Amino acid sequence: MTLRIHDKIIYKTNVTCPGCGCIDTRVMKFEVVEQTYHCPSCQNVYAKKLGSCCIYCSYGSKNCPVIQDIQLKLNH
Ligand SMILES: [Zn+2]
Ligand SMILES: [Zn+2]
C-alpha cells in the first residue's frame, strides 16, 4: 500500500514578506520544507516563525502541502 497525497492540496501560495510587505506568489513542493524565505523585493532572508513548520506556514496565505495533507486527512 502506498501513501497517497491528498488531491485537494493547494500548491500555490502568496507569501507576504515580513520585512517589506510585498507579496510573492510561489508554488510549493510537497517534498521541500522551506526554512528560510528570500524576498525578491528587499533581498533580505527571513527565517520561519518560531513554532511554525516552515516559511509558508509562517508567512504564506496557505499552509504548506504537508500540513494541508494532515488537515485534509483529519477531516475525513
Ligand atoms: Zn521584502
Ligand atoms: Zn509548513
Side-chain angles (χ1 to χ4, degrees), residues 17 19-22 39 41-42 46:
C17 173
C20 69
C22 82
C39 176
S41 176
C42 65
Y46 299 94

Side-chain angles (χ1 to χ4, degrees), residues 39-56:
C39 176
S41 176
C42 65
Q43 300 295 320
N44 285 322
V45 178
Y46 299 94
K48 62 172 185 163
K49 280 184 195 160
L50 209 68
S52 194
C53 92
C54 68
I55 57 131
Y56 297 125

Side-chain angles (χ1 to χ4, degrees), residues 8-14 26 28-30 52-72:
K8 289 207 172 67
I9 291 173
I10 296 156
Y11 289 92
K12 246 191 174 178
T13 185
N14 294 319
R26 293 233 183 159
M28 303 181 278
K29 287 197 181 101
F30 196 90
S52 194
C53 92
C54 68
I55 57 131
Y56 297 125
C57 292
S58 296
Y59 309 119
S61 57
K62 292 257 170 260
N63 286 333
C64 67
V66 175
I67 300 295
Q68 285 187 55
D69 188 53
I70 294 166
Q71 288 172 338
L72 286 163

Side-chain angles (χ1 to χ4, degrees), residues 20-44:
C20 69
C22 82
I23 293 169
D24 185 25
T25 303
R26 293 233 183 159
V27 178
M28 303 181 278
K29 287 197 181 101
F30 196 90
E31 319 78 50
V32 184
V33 179
E34 303 272 10
Q35 300 292 309
T36 54
Y37 172 63
H38 177 246
C39 176
S41 176
C42 65
Q43 300 295 320
N44 285 322

